Amino acid sequence: ADSAVIFLHGAYARSEGFGHWVETAFGFRFPRTEVVYPQAPEREYTLTGGTSERVWFDRTSLTPGASEKPMVMDIAKVTDEIKAIIAKEVSRGIPLNRIVLGGFSQGAAMALQAGLGDEELAQNLAGVFAMSAFLAEDSALPRKVEYFRTQGMRVPPVLQLHGDSDPRVRLQWAENSAYRLSNAGTPIQFKSYEGLSHDVSLPEMIDVHNFVVSVLAANAAGIN
């Protein structure tokens, strides 16, 4: 492999089951790009009454109005864990600028936080994709991106994707998040899918596949 995709699953999922589903149901594979499916740690999850769940960070409420502040420590810790996974790929000879970070649902929110909020990742990743995700209204991420941009730093291209019939994470929440990231200076493309709920579809996965191919190609050509 000469490149890699780090694909973060949604809350409660098992990485091997998620990876198997994405590859078999949607044919998400590449000739020379390895796809890595990390496993979220088990932690107490407020949304389920404090039970131990496989989640990337805790949530007090599944709404944009819920403050991001209680999640900040979790997000920082998991960003370090993601960086360790990426470092393993780099140690095997894959440059950081040949790596794409993405995810679904909570995994997508985490991909945005790490891929745009960490200075090293933001300056070097080939791209970030986020499916069925949103940011808290008080999220510090747009301000971080704006700071990077005012310092003349690069942030990676982002593809954000969302079903217009999602009953769990409303389309408007995702659109608002994309708008704020775009205003901060993120090169972001937003796509919605008719009739798609809080799920993954073939047209969406084809768009993710094409995004991965295009950012890796642009990166190899020195455009990105």
Side-chain angles (χ1 to χ4, degrees):
D2 64 4
S3 49
V5 175
I6 314 294
F7 201 157
L8 309 179
H9 63 73
Y12 319 119
R14 288 192 181 278
S15 58
E16 63 270 25
F18 178 72
H20 179 74
W21 174 59
V22 165
E23 287 176 6
T24 55
F26 306 111
F28 191 69
R29 56 179 76 88
F30 305 84
R32 299 183 65 188
T33 302
E34 183 188 8
V35 186
V36 180
Y37 299 94
Q39 177 65 60
E42 290 213 1
R43 65 176 81 240
E44 286 185 8
Y45 198 40
T46 305
L47 278 188
T48 57
T51 56
S52 184
E53 304 292 346
R54 291 180 298 274
V55 291
W56 297 106
F57 53 85
D58 193 21
R59 278 195 192 279
T60 53
S61 170
L62 194 64
T63 61
S67 177
E68 185 178 272
K69 289 182 180 69
M71 312 171 199
V72 165
M73 293 298 286
D74 282 353
I75 288 167
K77 186 167 181 282
V78 175
T79 296
D80 285 343
E81 289 165 8
I82 290 167
K83 289 185 78 174
I85 291 160
I86 289 172
K88 197 178 286 185
E89 295 302 304
V90 173
S91 73
R92 293 171 56 230
I94 296 173
L96 189 48
N97 66 4
R98 300 283 295 154
I99 295 174
V100 177
L101 177 63
F104 170 72
S105 192
Q106 200 192 64
M110 196 59 239
L112 289 171
Q113 292 282 357
L116 297 177
D118 179 85
E119 187 175 324
E120 184 189 15
L121 295 184
Q123 287 200 80
N124 292 287
L125 285 176
V128 175
F129 64 89
M131 311 164 75
S132 307
F134 71 99
L135 297 175
E137 284 167 6
D138 71 353
S139 175
L141 191 59
R143 289 196 302 279
K144 279 188 186 175
V145 169
E146 194 168 8
Y147 172 75
F148 291 157
R149 298 299 277 179
T150 58
Q151 298 301 304
M153 296 180 200
R154 167 199 185 269
V155 291
V158 175
L159 176 64
Q160 192 175 343
L161 317 99
H162 212 93
D164 72 357
S165 303
D166 190 330
R168 196 176 305 172
V169 178
R170 290 181 201 156
L171 177 64
Q172 185 185 346
W173 302 353
E175 286 174 332
N176 180 259
S177 301
Y179 176 76
R180 280 150 54 215
L181 287 172
S182 178
N183 269 3
T186 309
I188 191 166
Q189 181 187 6
F190 187 91
K191 295 195 76 168
S192 63
Y193 299 83
E194 193 177 346
L196 181 63
S197 65
H198 196 69
D199 204 354
V200 177
S201 71
L202 183 58
E204 189 181 31
M205 286 308 302
I206 289 169
D207 286 338
V208 171
H209 189 283
N210 290 342
F211 172 76
V212 169
V213 170
S214 70
V215 294
L216 289 175
N219 208 285
I223 299 165
N224 222 332

